[in-house]
Amino acid sequence: MHKTSSTSIDSPDMRRAGRGVLSLALMDARNHTLHLLSQYEQSLGADWPLVPMLPELNPPLWELGHVGWFQEWWIGRNLQRQLGRRCDPAVTRLASIEPQADRWWNSSQVAHDSRWALDLPDLASIKTYLLDTLESTLELLEKAPDEDDALYFYRLALFHEDMHGEALIYMAQTLGLPLSLNMPGAAPVREPLLVPAMRWQLGIGEGGAEHGGFTFDNERPMHEVQVPEFEIDAQVVSWAQFVEFVDDGGYDRPELWQPQGWQWLQDKAEGEGRRGPRYVEQIGVASGAVMQTRFGTPRRMLGGQPVMHVTWWEADAWCRWAGRRLPAEVEWEAAAHHAARRGFRWGDVWEWTGTTLRPYPGFSADPYRDYSEPWFGTHKVLRGASFATRARMKNPKYRNFFLPGRDDIFCGFRSCAL
């Protein structure tokens, strides 16, 4: 049995939600997407669709259309949708209700930099496409069996839209648009936590979550890992801790940086004189004050707030300076489960780990092949969630992943003893 009425539409239990609550959540995700786009319109006026071509951004109209396209591709146009993970990704699709949809929004076929040159339809037309595809999705969902395979693509479409919703929020930060969001506050300083040696079941089993449900392919299969005793920070590294690194010349000492990280820093230094995390206007050697621009407004950071917008290279360099190291993802996951009652705090910022994204032993890709496989070996794993992540996405087993040089996302880190 799936949880239905008792499940909140923005709760981690959505991975196991049945048809009724899943229908409400899909509408909620779409309303959230459109609400964010309306804030873009208000902030940028007539020029709102025009954003600079940057590797981490997409044109907003492309982002919006892609969300609808993805849902239609895997649900409305997919005659094998009820097979769930057993669906053949190459199966012939039905035609889209928008004849040009694949040419515009198929992310597997449309190269990133070409998205700025596309003859995309206007906002009103894309909103109509979004409405029509969502109506089709909800009608098909009403008739779907209330079981994991048949609900797989509806859950995937929900979480895919949630990811793009968060991407719209960090794009607003990149563009300096005024969004009103509750930012992480200062956390009380807690002593690091000692986690005993254990055999930990990393990932999620074939049955999905505890009582069945949705899993991403890179979370499977569950497998046992021997974890030696380790000490891990109870909370993420704070601005007060990071300022000490800056004051001690951390950005000028190549011995603290991996060669690729030092090269990244030199490339950044040539353009912007990088001497602190992204969006930092001032990081005081004398005062200790940190001013970081958040959604277009410079704000003074409190010493106890989590450091945010650091690359993996900066996180790793701080750890070397402090005589510590980034946690392995298995350590982070074990601590999130075992040390939660002892003050292990997470969810304010995504947290870099020391782990490179790789498949778990026995990995098998799901039909959406581009989700994990292309990024194995190049991306670093982040765990947790950020203040901009929908609560239904927050799962201690979830593996987020980005290239080590990304700093536009809401990311920080914590450390472990050597």
Side-chain angles (χ1 to χ4, degrees):
M1 289 290 291
H2 296 294
K3 297 182 179 182
T4 52
S5 58
S6 63
T7 301
S8 160
I9 59 170
D10 198 16
S11 134
D13 288 337
M14 280 305 305
R15 285 189 177 219
R16 301 194 296 275
R19 282 182 316 216
V21 102
L22 193 49
S23 176
L24 294 173
L26 285 161
M27 288 187 276
D28 170 68
R30 183 56 46 81
N31 288 337
H32 184 62
T33 301
L34 293 173
H35 170 68
L36 290 169
L37 260 293
S38 72
Q39 294 191 64
Y40 273 69
E41 288 181 271
Q42 291 168 17
S43 299
L44 295 174
D47 292 333
W48 78 271
L50 303 174
V51 307
M53 187 192 293
L54 294 172
E56 63 265 32
L57 301 184
N58 280 307
L61 287 177
W62 188 92
E63 194 93 20
L64 194 59
H66 169 73
V67 162
W69 173 87
F70 186 93
Q71 196 174 97
E72 189 192 26
W73 177 262
W74 289 112
I75 298 172
R77 300 171 59 188
N78 179 11
L79 294 174
Q80 291 190 1
R81 59 183 168 269
Q82 292 196 8
L83 296 179
R85 287 163 43 202
R86 294 177 289 117
C87 158
D88 176 4
V91 68
T92 302
R93 294 295 200 282
L94 297 173
S96 171
I97 58 175
E98 167 46 69
Q100 303 297 319
D102 293 344
R103 184 173 70 82
W104 287 329
W105 294 309
N106 184 340
S107 52
S108 300
Q109 305 295 327
V110 182
H112 175 268
D113 287 2
S114 73
R115 295 169 189 173
W116 276 261
L118 293 169
D119 54 337
L120 295 172
D122 61 20
L123 178 59
S125 301
I126 294 178
K127 283 184 174 178
T128 300
Y129 174 67
L130 286 177
L131 179 64
D132 292 344
T133 50
L134 181 61
E135 282 184 354
S136 164
T137 293
L138 297 178
E139 286 173 10
L140 292 168
L141 177 56
E142 278 184 19
K143 306 183 188 86
D146 215 1
E147 57 191 38
D148 286 336
D149 281 347
L151 297 179
Y152 171 85
F153 284 114
Y154 299 92
R155 292 165 174 164
L156 176 66
L158 171 66
F159 295 132
H160 175 265
E161 186 152 357
D162 284 341
M163 290 179 205
H164 279 275
E166 183 161 353
L168 284 169
I169 295 172
Y170 59 70
M171 178 154 70
Q173 165 70 351
T174 302
L175 298 174
L177 305 187
L179 290 191
S180 178
L181 288 165
N182 291 325
M183 305 298 260
V189 178
R190 292 178 176 268
E191 290 298 310
L193 302 165
L194 190 64
V195 181
M198 70 181 83
R199 295 194 71 78
W200 178 249
Q201 300 291 334
L202 185 62
I204 303 177
E206 269 304 310
E210 292 167 333
H211 306 293
F214 178 86
T215 53
F216 291 98
D217 58 8
N218 64 36
E219 297 170 339
R220 302 186 306 267
M222 180 182 278
H223 57 291
E224 196 171 82
V225 178
Q226 180 64 47
V227 185
E229 178 183 82
F230 64 97
E231 179 202 283
I232 189 167
D233 293 338
Q235 66 271 313
V236 294
V237 168
S238 68
W239 281 111
Q241 291 172 290
F242 201 83
V243 165
E244 291 183 36
F245 166 75
V246 177
D247 284 356
D248 199 32
Y251 282 87
D252 297 301
R253 295 167 57 183
E255 71 273 14
L256 297 175
W257 297 74
Q258 295 202 18
Q260 286 176 281
W262 185 250
Q263 186 58 55
W264 167 84
L265 182 57
Q266 302 320 298
D267 294 344
K268 284 289 181 186
E270 286 178 21
E272 58 186 71
R274 184 77 171 237
R275 282 297 177 273
R278 188 167 178 172
Y279 311 118
V280 166
E281 307 300 327
Q282 174 191 341
I283 186 158
V285 174
S287 66
V290 176
M291 295 292 290
Q292 188 174 45
T293 299
R294 297 278 176 87
F295 300 108
T297 302
R299 299 184 185 277
R300 180 164 182 157
M301 299 293 107
L302 301 175
Q305 284 180 285
V307 67
M308 198 188 303
H309 297 300
V310 289
T311 61
W312 188 91
W313 305 120
E314 288 164 294
D316 180 68
W318 183 94
C319 287
R320 289 165 182 248
W321 166 82
R324 294 177 71 80
R325 62 177 175 83
L326 290 170
E329 67 169 322
V330 67
E331 292 172 324
W332 192 98
E333 186 179 304
H337 285 83
H338 276 281
R341 292 182 181 176
R342 293 195 283 135
F344 186 90
R345 175 191 169 109
W346 64 276
D348 287 336
V349 293
W350 290 104
E351 300 179 37
W352 291 110
T353 71
T355 302
T356 298
L357 180 71
R358 301 193 191 283
Y360 288 162
F363 169 84
S364 176
D366 282 354
Y368 177 31
R369 297 283 194 256
D370 283 354
Y371 180 66
S372 297
E373 268 190 320
W375 322 115
F376 289 147
T378 56
H379 288 47
K380 296 293 185 181
V381 174
L382 299 98
R383 289 302 195 104
S386 83
F387 67 93
T389 309
R390 298 303 299 267
R392 56 181 169 248
M393 286 289 295
K394 294 182 178 180
N395 188 308
K397 297 275 188 179
Y398 180 69
R399 308 174 81 195
N400 202 353
F401 48 94
F402 283 97
L403 286 168
R406 286 291 290 268
D407 53 13
D408 56 309
I409 54 176
F410 305 114
C411 51
F413 65 100
R414 76 180 71 217
S415 69
C416 284
L418 294 173

